[in-house]
């Protein structure tokens, strides 16, 4: 039902009529203000550092001289913020052009939904980067200095205040249509969440009817590469399914994935809680519909419907090498030092097996907790029949995986750091045939690659 979700990655193909861009790392400006015409000499070789400094200088100018004076200077083609291929453009957070030295006719025009040079949506992604403070974006754009040929551009944008932002950029040479036809889909949990959040904002601003139409548009802003937004109501009825429009109106509440998980029921519960991640197994059309792991993020739009998006992934990306080694080391410790000493160390909140957010838990195969450093009250308690928010007997699944040697288990648990229910992915191993141990991480917004 929901392969992939539209992407919010920095490598999303972007481009505005003459939106320029900037660099790859932030640096503070130490430039004197105002800038003299001598300083505005043509730049023949533009580095990323130069781009960042240029944008930061413009932001400092705006804060020193005020918005009106800054916008007038940025819009002046012969002003101090047009230097060779570099110039400053400015927009508000609705997408309305505030300043553009080469496209004065665009000032006052809202460009939020304009496509780039290859027809891909991009501008809302640029605004999201600026809204987060500052950052870099790649996109494809017409270069007026090279006979309007389409070129790849690296942009740098920064927020001036809560009302507006500015940016600039540099061309990186010709781009072929085939290169830009499949922009990078989101690859991280943060990118998935950011994209779904941006879709929810769009829906709240434009209304449900317009949003569902946008989510159903294969060439619209919410379908990029192999990812897109899907929408359902709280009863499990499909409202928008980009690749399965014939199933709109169908109820998915009682559908299960390849492992028997009622994933739509889980999504509905997560949406009611305010949002969250889920991991399920779903056929990948790009691989002859072979079943793969898929990570999605869902969240509510309002009290009538919710939306989500996801990417296909692999176990080796969900269980990173650090986590795998942590569990392996704990098993080796138990084998070397014996069960009693090992459990004492695992239960010690200041011990060597509690670090960087990771800790070792242990249980015997009867279901009794043997080690849980953050919940000593649970040690000795039989937990074989505990369930998580979707009713899964995850401890039994954990025992079955461990009895096979090692395995990955996903379940929902209260994260003590946030006091919220979140998806946790753990790696478990058998110790001696009578008990098991493991460790896990909560799936939260981060920059680890999940695309498999």
């Amino acid at each position: 039902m929901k392969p992939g979700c539209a992407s919010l990655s920095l490598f999303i193909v972007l481009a505005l009529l003459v939106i320029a861009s900037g660099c790859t790392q932030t640096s503070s400006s130490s430039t004197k203000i105002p800038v003299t015409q001598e300083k505005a000499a043509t730049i023949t070789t533009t580095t990323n550092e130069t781009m960042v400094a240029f944008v930061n200088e413009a932001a400092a100018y705006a804060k020193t001289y005020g918005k009106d004076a800054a916008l007038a200077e940025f819009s002046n083609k012969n002003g101090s913020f047009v230097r060779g291929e570099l110039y400053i453009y400015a927009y508000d957070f609705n997408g309305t052009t505030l300043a553009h030295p080469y496209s004065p006719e665009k000032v006052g025009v809202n460009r939020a939904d304009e496509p780039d040079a290859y027809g891909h949506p991009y501008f809302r992604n640029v605004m999201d980067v600026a809204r987060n403070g500052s950052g870099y974006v790649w996109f494809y754009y017409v270069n007026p200095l090279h006979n309007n040929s389409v070129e790849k551009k690296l942009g740098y944008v920064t927020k001036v205040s809560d009302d507006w932002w500015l940016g600039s950029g540099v061309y990186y040479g010709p781009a072929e249509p085939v290169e830009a036809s499949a922009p990078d889909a989101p690859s991280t949990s943060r990118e998935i969440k950011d994209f779904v959040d941006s879709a929810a904002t769009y829906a709240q601003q434009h209304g449900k009817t317009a949003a569902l139409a946008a989510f159903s548009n294969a060439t619209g802003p919410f379908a990029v590469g192999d990812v897109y937004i899907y929408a359902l109501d709280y009863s499990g009825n499909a409202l928008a399914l980009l690749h399965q429009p014939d199933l709109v109106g169908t109820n998915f509440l009682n559908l299960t994935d390849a492992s028997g998980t009622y994933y739509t029921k889980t999504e509905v519960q997560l949406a009611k809680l305010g949002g969250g991640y889920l991991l399920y197994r779903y056929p990948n059309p790009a691989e002859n519909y072979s079943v793969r792991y898929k990570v999605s993020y869902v969240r509510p739009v309002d009290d009538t419907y919710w939306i989500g998006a996801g990417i296909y992934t692999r176990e080796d990306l969900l269980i990173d090498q650090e986590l795998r080694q942590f569990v392996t080391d704990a098993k080796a410790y138990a084998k070397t030092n014996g069960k009693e000493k090992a459990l004492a160390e695992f239960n010690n909140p200041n011990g060597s097996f509690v670090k960087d957010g990771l800790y070792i838990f242990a249980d015997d195969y009867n279901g009794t907790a043997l080690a849980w450093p953050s919940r000593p009250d649970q040690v000795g308690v039989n937990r074989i029949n505990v369930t998580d928010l979707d009713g899964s007997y995850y401890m039994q699944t954990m025992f079955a995986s461990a009895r096979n040697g090692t395995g990955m288990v996903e379940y929902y648990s209260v994260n003590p750091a946030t006091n919220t229910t979140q998806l946790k992915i753990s790696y478990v191993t058998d110790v001696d045939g009578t008990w098991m141990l493991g460790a896990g991480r909560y799936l939260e917004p981060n920059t680890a690659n999940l695309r498999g």
Side-chain angles (χ1 to χ4, degrees):
M1 159 184 139
K2 7 183 184 4
C5 66
S7 120
L8 190 63
S9 75
L10 295 182
F11 282 90
I12 267 188
V13 176
L14 311 164
L16 214 103
L17 181 57
V18 197
I19 263 190
S21 17
C23 332
T24 41
Q25 55 188 13
T26 310
S27 69
S28 60
S29 172
S30 58
T31 327
K32 292 182 179 180
I33 296 172
V35 180
T36 66
Q37 287 300 316
E38 292 178 3
K39 194 171 176 98
T42 299
I43 298 172
T44 56
T45 301
T46 306
T47 65
N48 289 344
E49 290 76 16
T50 301
M51 298 301 108
V52 173
F54 183 61
V55 171
N56 287 339
E57 181 185 327
Y61 184 97
K63 291 174 181 177
T64 299
Y65 292 94
K67 183 177 181 179
D68 291 342
L71 294 178
E73 185 67 10
F74 300 157
S75 294
N76 182 1
K77 188 175 180 180
N78 299 312
S80 56
F81 286 97
V82 176
R83 308 178 194 171
E85 68 175 330
L86 295 179
Y87 60 88
I88 293 293
Y89 51 83
Y91 293 83
D92 65 23
F93 282 104
N94 292 318
T96 301
T97 311
L98 302 179
H100 203 301
Y102 290 109
S103 296
E105 74 282 0
K106 291 291 186 179
V107 173
V109 175
N110 188 289
R111 308 178 74 182
D113 295 318
E114 286 190 16
D116 71 3
Y118 285 123
H120 299 297
Y122 70 96
F123 195 76
R124 293 185 184 278
N125 298 329
V126 181
M127 288 196 292
D128 284 338
V129 173
R131 189 177 284 112
N132 286 333
S134 62
Y136 316 96
V137 287
W138 285 104
F139 56 96
Y140 296 91
Y141 203 66
V142 171
N143 187 344
L145 299 180
H146 291 170
N147 297 319
N148 290 326
S149 62
V150 176
E151 298 187 9
K152 192 173 185 178
K153 242 186 160 182
L154 178 63
Y156 181 76
V157 296
T158 190
K159 179 169 72 174
V160 180
S161 71
D162 290 337
D163 299 324
W164 64 294
W165 57 278
L166 56 82
S168 188
V170 60
Y171 290 97
Y172 270 70
E176 297 299 326
V178 65
E179 177 186 358
S181 62
D184 286 355
S187 299
T188 72
S189 57
R190 179 176 297 280
E191 290 169 356
I192 298 169
K193 182 180 184 300
D194 285 348
F195 183 75
V196 175
D197 285 343
S198 72
T201 299
Y202 178 92
Q204 290 159 358
Q205 292 177 344
H206 293 82
K208 185 174 182 177
T209 300
L212 293 179
F215 301 156
S216 301
N217 183 359
T219 60
F222 300 105
V224 182
D226 65 346
V227 293
Y228 62 91
I229 292 290
Y230 53 88
L232 292 88
D233 65 22
Y234 291 98
S235 295
N237 298 307
L239 305 177
L241 291 173
L242 180 64
H243 296 299
Q244 296 168 299
D246 55 313
L247 295 181
V248 170
T250 301
N251 189 284
F252 287 88
L253 204 60
N254 291 316
L255 286 185
T256 60
D257 71 0
S259 67
T261 299
Y262 291 91
Y263 56 91
T264 302
K265 286 184 178 179
T266 301
E267 290 175 308
V268 169
Q269 292 185 71
L270 289 172
K272 288 180 177 179
L273 290 172
Y277 294 95
L278 71 150
L279 178 67
Y280 55 109
R281 295 149 183 84
Y282 203 76
N284 185 352
E287 296 183 0
N288 296 319
Y289 291 92
S290 57
V291 176
R292 296 280 307 280
Y293 282 113
K294 194 173 186 186
V295 172
S296 283
Y297 181 81
V298 300
R299 59 153 290 165
V301 175
D302 57 30
D303 59 1
T304 67
Y305 77 114
W306 55 272
I307 59 175
I311 60 174
Y312 289 97
T313 186
R314 303 191 309 264
E315 181 176 326
D316 63 308
L317 298 175
L318 295 165
I319 303 295
D320 59 78
Q321 185 55 41
E322 181 187 14
L323 175 56
R324 197 177 298 267
Q325 190 61 52
F326 188 64
V327 172
T328 300
D329 291 345
K331 178 177 179 178
Y333 184 91
K335 288 287 192 179
T336 301
N337 295 279
K339 183 176 181 179
E340 183 177 352
K341 182 176 181 180
L343 291 178
E345 184 67 10
F346 299 158
N347 276 308
N348 181 0
N350 299 310
S352 56
F353 288 97
V354 178
K355 60 180 180 180
D356 300 328
L358 293 178
Y359 63 85
I360 291 294
F361 56 80
D363 300 83
D364 66 27
Y365 288 125
N366 293 320
T368 302
L370 303 177
W372 193 350
S374 62
R375 290 295 305 273
D377 59 303
Q378 291 295 302
V379 174
V381 175
N382 190 289
R383 307 182 67 247
I384 196 166
N385 289 318
V386 297
T387 58
D388 64 4
L389 101 170
D390 66 1
S392 172
Y393 290 90
Y394 65 91
M395 291 302 299
Q396 296 180 24
T397 302
M398 198 176 287
F399 296 151
S401 296
R403 284 184 183 277
N404 286 330
T406 60
M408 182 182 78
V409 182
E410 70 272 12
Y411 52 97
Y412 289 90
S413 177
V414 175
N415 185 342
T418 62
N419 199 33
T420 59
T421 299
Q422 294 177 237
L423 177 64
K424 189 171 187 179
I425 301 176
S426 290
Y427 180 67
V428 296
T429 185
D430 176 72
V431 180
D432 63 7
T434 65
W435 63 294
M436 52 136 283
L437 59 80
R441 297 187 195 277
Y442 289 97
L443 187 55
E444 300 179 291
N446 60 48
T447 58
N449 177 46
L450 290 176
R451 180 168 287 277

